[in-house]
Amino acid sequence: MIKTSSAIPNDIYDFLERMNVRQKKLTQGCLRRDRLDIAGHPGAKCLLYQAPRGFGKSVQIALCAQSAADRGDDCIYLDLSSFWPESVSEADLIATAIVAMLSPPDLPVTSGDRGPEIIALRLLFDWKRPVMICLDGVSDSAATQRFLKTITLETPEAVRLVVSGHQPGTLVTLSVVSHVVTIGPRELSFTLDETCSILPLEADRATKIYNKTAGWPLLCALAGKSKASGDAIADLSEVQAYFETDVLAQITRPLLDHLINASWLEEITADCSDYVFKINDSSCKLAELASRHGLLMSSDEKPKCYEMNRALREYLRNRFNEANGSRRSYFLKRIAFWHWRKKEYRLVVDVALRAHDHSWAKRLTDQALLDLALRQGEIEALTIWFTGIPRAKLLQMPSLAIGYAWVLYFSQRAQEAQDVLSRLNDQRVSAPSEEEDSNGWGKLVHAIGLATHDELKESDERCAAWVDTYGSANPVGHAAAQTCRAFIAASGRQFAALSDQIASATVVSGAVRHRYAFGWLAAAGILAKLLNGDIYGARSEIRRAQKNENVAHERTPFIKGMLAAFELQVQTEEESITPDERLVQEALDFALEFGVTDVVWNTVRSAAEIYIRQGDTLQAFLLLERCRLMAKDRGLKRLGILVRLGSEVFAMGTRTSTPLSTEPLPSDEDLLFLPNQNRAIQAEIVLLEASRFLRDGKLGLAEMHARKALSNFSAVRDQRGEIRAQYTLATAIYLMGEKKQALKRIADADLKAQQLGAFRSLINRRHFLRVISPAAKAFLDQRTTQVARTKVPAHDVQITERPFAYRSAPISQKQVIVLQHAALGLSNKEIAVRMHVTEDTVKWHFRKILRGLNVANRTEAVMAARSLSLI
């Protein structure tokens, strides 16, 4: 209810009534985004929305007013793009509206020497309740800016402003005032989740729209109403009309021409623009397009570089082609030359792809092309590029053929890669005049390619021989070979030697800025932790890699996909959190297209576990069958064996029949891999046999095989395997009447799972055993007493807050468990009860602990163990 005062003209009250109606209609059915409200910026005096039309500024201003009303604040809402009395200026209108909303009914008529701004400021200064002033469509009037700046600087903290300018570059003087927070296009854009929530479309199409528009609100809305695919947004007539009339109409012709030209640049910088378009004032023009018109944004990664919305860029390129299509090739050539001079070969390739000009292939030297492939790891970009180059042309240039073979190997097309290298060798033999491969690139690609095809033993031998022959002359190749050997050590569970391998490769890679190597070295460290079962350690390694500038996971899609595959495996072990479908698909897309055997199987297994947990057993087995067929098609024998064993375990645990169950288990003659890989597979085979015997009630055989599996898992330091074997053994001996020993083994397994963060491995095994051995259900349902779980969420646990899984320690793992109990203040007797041992055994362990840690008492032992990150 608006109060009336004789000092306020009636048409102002009419205007305010209209504003109430306008505000309510603008907010109907709109998405509330608290991060853009004043409540999301508690230290701000004023929020200033600066963006082109179509970014939802008006809606957001109206939502801010609604939020203020919901909180019970006094609120003034004005949309100055509407019609208002011509007899008052903008500043006077704002002031009069404030007076109308806050003044008492008996306010005296305004005198000539006391204007509405002064009265409004006095009311605001004396007002005791929170006041929100929401102004939309404010012009660049000097009087308005002066008034708003005064409110910001001189009124109490309870008075807040939310302001949107008529144009992006207005209200500049207000934007630099302290406690004024500017919210630009990047913040006003929808997130992916917000885009999916507002568009009633299937998730894939909504995601495409988001990727094309970067969340530009009006573009999302227009694309959502159209039936066109997400890739054709710039071709929609509604989008074209919006760009013309609402976005570009206010720009002068010279500035618009510069914006259109800039849309062709791979990286929009003033230096590149000056060179390509032969001008010398790009810096000022780009700055004006960014600050005054909001059509460019400064890059977060490169301060002197601007970014342009993808849909706008595509529209501007189409407009350029219509008017100046004949000059397109000329500009692209100049852009390519610019990046060539700066040795930015990846961008040269991007320009060549856009130009459909494969003549650039002939310009790429061995060093440049192999730098892209080996050192920077541009697998996906080069895959697209090579696809468009005729096969004959590829074989005409050795560097092209070698680079193509590299890309094929890492795209899991090993046979094609080998064919390319073989034909290249044949050409060299038949034509002795051909240039020799003095740097050994071809042999290196073949050596490393063998590892991608899971021929790890031969790959390791060839990489070692290559380093001896070519390493000193080819440092980039040396780094690649050493990195490959480090990853082989991780896959081969050579944990003791791995740290030295990684350290050696890191030194060589750092000297030549081998970014692709850093990604694989990080992957080797993460893989080792996962194979060892140290989930906390794997999580810490992933976070470290994501922060490592050398790894550059955001810049390189290949490494980003690899880390996503590892992240899925870590999150799958969470006790109460299920990874979201987006991560599952991202990890699977990478693993099934590019992943090596260890990455593929562990990612597929994790995804299958998630599907089964969600009740979608069919989806899980379809994925397993897809993986089996892929292993057969690519000739990945170890992957096929792992799928065979895993599929039967999943089938037994879900009571699902599968043809694989009738196939014989792999024999020792089938295991032709690295020694520890063979032993790990043997452990899985024996554990599967133990499960079969347990299911069939053959308890003696089940016990014998479970003990053998436990021994094999311990030999290869697979601690998650040990947990599964311990549980299987405990179930078998429980059914044989040895309850005390069974409880002791389960307590050990539970505590180990707690130390590792391997909660799902434990839960899944317990569920599996309930299914195949219903007689043990009551036993498996018991909750064994164990060390209380950490209060810190699993994803926040730091590497110093958990024990190192396979670092040599002065005390045994059993003694570490004793100390964990002691750290809780338990007596020897209480520890004995929890560990299902005698009190004398606990005392014996403490004597060993004191000697091993060289301390005088148990308090010092606990402190020493914590300093060593053992507990």
Side-chain angles (χ1 to χ4, degrees):
M1 183 68 182
I2 298 177
K3 298 172 291 186
T4 60
S5 170
S6 58
I8 309 300
N10 287 332
D11 52 1
I12 296 297
Y13 287 114
D14 292 339
F15 180 65
L16 293 176
E17 289 286 6
R18 285 167 41 214
M19 290 299 99
N20 284 340
V21 176
R22 189 182 189 96
Q23 182 264 325
K24 287 181 173 59
K25 288 187 176 180
L26 277 174
T27 57
Q28 283 178 356
C30 289
L31 179 69
R32 286 206 177 196
R33 298 189 281 171
D34 293 338
R35 59 189 172 88
L36 302 179
D37 199 335
I38 197 77
H41 300 81
K45 177 74 171 174
C46 172
L47 295 186
L48 179 58
Y49 298 103
Q50 295 274 48
R53 294 179 182 176
F55 273 87
K57 302 188 300 297
S58 295
V59 171
Q60 196 56 46
I61 293 284
L63 285 171
C64 286
Q66 185 60 51
S67 296
D70 293 344
R71 291 192 299 268
D73 298 349
D74 292 312
C75 181
I76 297 95
Y77 166 79
L78 302 178
D79 185 347
L80 299 168
S81 65
S82 181
F83 298 99
W84 40 277
E86 297 180 358
S87 58
V88 294
S89 67
E90 185 179 62
D92 284 350
L93 176 65
I94 297 169
T96 305
I98 294 171
V99 173
M101 295 297 294
L102 303 182
S103 63
D106 57 348
L107 180 74
V109 177
T110 304
S111 61
D113 59 348
R114 198 161 179 244
E117 290 91 340
I118 300 299
I119 300 173
L121 289 170
R122 170 51 57 189
L123 285 168
L124 291 172
F125 190 79
D126 292 338
W127 206 253
K128 304 302 181 185
R129 290 163 43 78
V131 179
M132 180 70 74
I133 303 172
C134 302
L135 306 175
D136 187 21
V138 177
S139 72
D140 210 6
S141 161
T144 301
Q145 292 210 48
R146 178 186 175 196
F147 182 44
L148 297 181
K149 186 175 180 181
T150 302
I151 293 176
T152 303
L153 293 174
E154 297 181 14
T155 58
E157 293 302 316
V159 178
R160 302 286 187 88
L161 279 167
V162 179
V163 182
S164 169
H166 181 63
Q167 292 292 336
T170 57
L171 304 174
V172 175
T173 59
L174 181 62
S175 67
V176 297
V177 175
S178 61
H179 302 296
V180 173
V181 175
T182 300
I183 297 178
R186 186 176 278 114
E187 295 81 15
L188 285 165
S189 296
F190 290 135
T191 64
L192 175 57
D193 288 340
E194 289 169 346
T195 304
C196 292
S197 70
I198 66 166
L199 297 179
L201 307 171
E202 58 274 14
D204 288 347
R205 185 163 173 239
T207 300
K208 281 185 178 180
I209 290 174
Y210 171 79
N211 291 335
K212 199 72 171 182
T213 64
W216 189 322
L218 188 59
L219 292 182
C220 289
L222 293 174
K225 290 180 179 179
S226 168
K227 294 184 179 180
S229 69
D231 297 327
I233 290 174
D235 297 327
L236 296 176
S237 58
E238 300 90 342
V239 170
Q240 294 174 354
Y242 162 62
F243 279 145
E244 283 298 319
T245 58
D246 290 326
V247 177
L248 305 176
Q250 309 299 322
I251 304 177
T252 62
R253 187 70 219 183
L255 202 58
L256 178 57
D257 289 341
H258 195 79
L259 180 67
I260 293 173
N261 288 341
S263 70
W264 284 97
L265 303 179
E266 289 299 315
E267 289 187 346
I268 303 175
T269 64
D271 290 342
C272 181
S273 180
D274 284 345
Y275 172 82
V276 172
F277 304 114
K278 297 182 179 181
I279 55 179
N280 56 15
D281 61 347
S282 292
S283 180
C284 295
K285 289 181 178 179
L286 293 177
E288 185 175 356
L289 287 166
S291 62
R292 182 165 183 77
H293 298 283
L295 298 177
L296 299 176
M297 291 182 288
S298 296
S299 170
D300 290 334
E301 297 180 358
K302 299 180 179 180
K304 295 182 179 180
C305 185
Y306 293 97
E307 296 174 351
M308 183 184 297
N309 180 274
R310 285 182 61 191
L312 176 61
R313 182 192 287 261
E314 185 175 329
Y315 168 75
L316 293 174
R317 287 178 178 178
N318 291 341
R319 182 166 168 173
F320 175 91
N321 284 334
E322 291 173 2
N324 305 289
S326 59
R327 303 183 67 196
R328 176 175 177 272
S329 178
Y330 170 75
F331 281 133
L332 286 172
K333 185 175 293 187
R334 289 190 62 81
I335 294 169
F337 269 119
W338 168 260
H339 293 298
W340 183 271
R341 290 169 54 189
K342 297 184 70 179
K343 297 184 178 181
E344 295 171 340
Y345 302 120
R346 180 181 65 83
L347 297 178
V348 174
V349 171
D350 288 343
V351 176
L353 286 171
R354 283 203 285 122
H356 304 290
D357 180 8
H358 302 298
S359 64
W360 278 98
K362 295 181 179 179
R363 300 177 184 273
L364 288 176
T365 62
D366 286 7
Q367 179 184 359
L369 179 66
L370 296 168
D371 178 271
L372 278 171
L374 274 73
R375 190 170 70 86
Q376 297 187 46
E378 296 293 344
I379 302 299
E380 291 173 301
L382 287 172
T383 299
I384 299 171
W385 194 48
F386 279 125
T387 300
I389 301 176
R391 189 68 172 269
K393 183 178 291 186
L394 281 171
L395 293 171
Q396 287 173 7
M397 294 186 62
S399 61
L400 281 181
I402 293 170
Y404 184 47
W406 175 268
V407 168
L408 289 173
Y409 271 127
F410 279 88
S411 300
Q412 287 301 319
R413 296 158 66 186
Q415 187 57 55
E416 293 178 63
Q418 186 55 50
D419 290 345
V420 169
L421 292 177
S422 297
R423 291 183 63 180
L424 182 61
N425 287 333
D426 292 344
Q427 283 186 194
R428 282 179 170 152
V429 171
S430 61
S433 60
E434 287 284 334
E435 182 180 348
E436 287 294 323
D437 185 10
S438 59
N439 287 315
W441 287 119
K443 293 180 179 178
L444 176 65
V445 168
H446 178 55
I448 296 176
L450 289 170
T452 69
H453 197 244
D454 207 41
E455 300 174 71
L456 300 182
K457 182 179 179 181
E458 187 177 355
S459 175
D460 190 51
E461 292 171 352
R462 287 182 179 245
C463 283
W466 188 95
V467 170
D468 291 339
T469 305
Y470 300 99
S472 59
N474 187 344
V476 171
H478 188 185
Q482 291 291 82
T483 298
C484 181
R485 298 194 71 195
F487 193 87
I488 291 171
S491 179
R493 300 169 185 266
Q494 299 169 8
F495 300 135
L498 179 61
S499 58
D500 290 339
Q501 291 267 28
I502 290 178
S504 173
T506 299
V507 171
V508 181
S509 301
V512 293
R513 298 183 63 212
H514 199 324
R515 289 185 175 178
Y516 193 46
F518 279 107
W520 276 98
L521 289 173
I526 298 165
L527 176 64
K529 299 288 187 185
L530 288 168
L531 292 178
N532 179 252
D534 184 2
I535 304 304
Y536 288 147
R539 179 181 287 110
S540 295
E541 291 291 339
I542 292 172
R543 300 295 175 263
R544 186 179 292 114
Q546 290 171 336
K547 295 176 183 177
N548 188 334
E549 293 182 359
N550 288 318
V551 174
H553 86 288
E554 286 291 345
R555 185 195 64 82
T556 307
F558 190 92
I559 298 302
K560 185 177 181 181
M562 180 111 67
L563 292 184
F566 289 136
E567 179 71 32
L568 176 66
Q569 296 170 43
V570 168
Q571 288 193 20
T572 304
E573 285 287 357
E574 294 278 3
E575 184 177 13
S576 57
I577 299 175
T578 299
D580 63 61
E581 183 62 24
R582 193 178 303 113
L583 175 61
V584 174
Q585 287 306 315
E586 182 181 359
L588 283 175
D589 288 345
F590 170 82
L592 294 172
E593 185 169 0
F594 299 110
V596 295
T597 290
D598 293 295
V599 175
V600 175
W601 169 240
N602 290 316
T603 303
V604 167
R605 181 179 61 184
S606 297
E609 286 181 4
I610 292 168
Y611 291 143
I612 289 173
R613 196 188 314 170
Q614 295 172 338
D616 195 348
T617 304
L618 177 60
Q619 179 74 359
F621 281 95
L622 286 174
L623 176 59
L624 291 168
E625 178 63 12
R626 178 184 175 189
C627 187
R628 186 186 71 82
L629 293 174
M630 186 188 75
K632 184 178 180 180
D633 181 60
R634 295 177 181 175
L636 298 173
K637 188 174 181 180
R638 184 163 67 98
L639 178 59
I641 290 174
L642 293 172
V643 176
R644 159 71 183 90
L645 299 176
S647 294
E648 183 167 348
V649 172
F650 282 123
M652 291 173 67
T654 57
R655 292 195 178 97
T656 303
S657 61
T658 169
L660 283 176
S661 302
T662 61
E663 295 183 5
L665 292 175
S667 64
D668 290 344
E669 288 74 22
D670 296 319
L671 305 183
L672 304 174
F673 315 111
L674 295 176
N676 282 344
Q677 290 176 338
N678 292 335
R679 190 100 186 242
I681 292 173
Q682 287 169 339
E684 295 290 351
I685 292 172
V686 175
L687 184 60
L688 177 57
E689 290 177 325
S691 301
R692 287 175 171 179
F693 288 130
L694 192 60
R695 177 196 61 192
D696 298 338
K698 300 177 181 180
L699 301 180
L701 290 172
E703 179 202 11
M704 181 182 72
H705 282 77
R707 289 186 188 278
K708 186 177 179 181
L710 180 59
S711 174
N712 283 338
F713 281 127
S714 298
V716 296
R717 295 183 178 180
D718 183 347
Q719 298 185 89
R720 284 189 288 178
E722 290 179 47
I723 291 170
R724 292 185 291 126
Q726 282 276 38
Y727 253 86
T728 306
L729 177 57
T731 303
I733 62 178
Y734 166 78
L735 293 173
M736 295 170 71
E738 299 180 28
K739 181 176 180 180
K740 183 177 180 181
Q741 280 299 313
L743 287 171
K744 179 178 178 299
R745 289 192 175 277
I746 280 190
D748 289 346
D750 287 354
L751 189 56
K752 178 169 286 190
Q754 166 66 23
Q755 292 173 323
L756 299 171
F759 300 116
R760 273 290 160 188
S761 289
L762 185 150
I763 294 169
N764 290 344
R765 195 62 185 178
R766 186 183 290 152
H767 172 76
F768 172 81
L769 291 168
R770 287 194 197 100
V771 172
I772 68 169
S773 184
K777 186 177 184 302
F779 165 69
L780 293 166
D781 285 343
Q782 295 181 79
R783 300 292 297 180
T784 57
T785 305
Q786 55 179 295
V787 177
R789 293 188 174 177
T790 177
K791 299 298 182 183
V792 181
H795 59 274
D796 291 335
V797 174
Q798 301 298 315
I799 194 167
T800 55
E801 295 173 320
R802 57 167 183 82
F804 289 129
Y806 49 82
R807 178 179 291 182
S808 57
I811 58 178
S812 71
Q813 190 172 38
K814 184 77 70 175
Q815 287 151 12
V816 169
I817 295 172
V818 171
L819 275 179
Q820 288 211 332
H821 287 302
L824 296 176
L826 301 180
S827 66
N828 288 349
K829 185 175 182 179
E830 290 170 323
I831 295 174
V833 171
R834 293 198 178 198
M835 295 185 66
H836 303 281
V837 297
T838 65
E839 191 172 350
D840 286 340
T841 300
V842 175
K843 291 177 181 178
W844 180 85
H845 279 307
F846 266 117
R847 288 195 294 272
K848 290 283 188 179
I849 289 168
L850 298 182
R851 284 199 298 271
L853 296 179
N854 193 25
V855 293
N857 55 53
R858 58 196 287 161
T859 302
E860 292 181 7
V862 170
M863 294 176 63
R866 282 177 174 160
S867 69
L868 294 172
S869 296
L870 295 174
I871 62 174

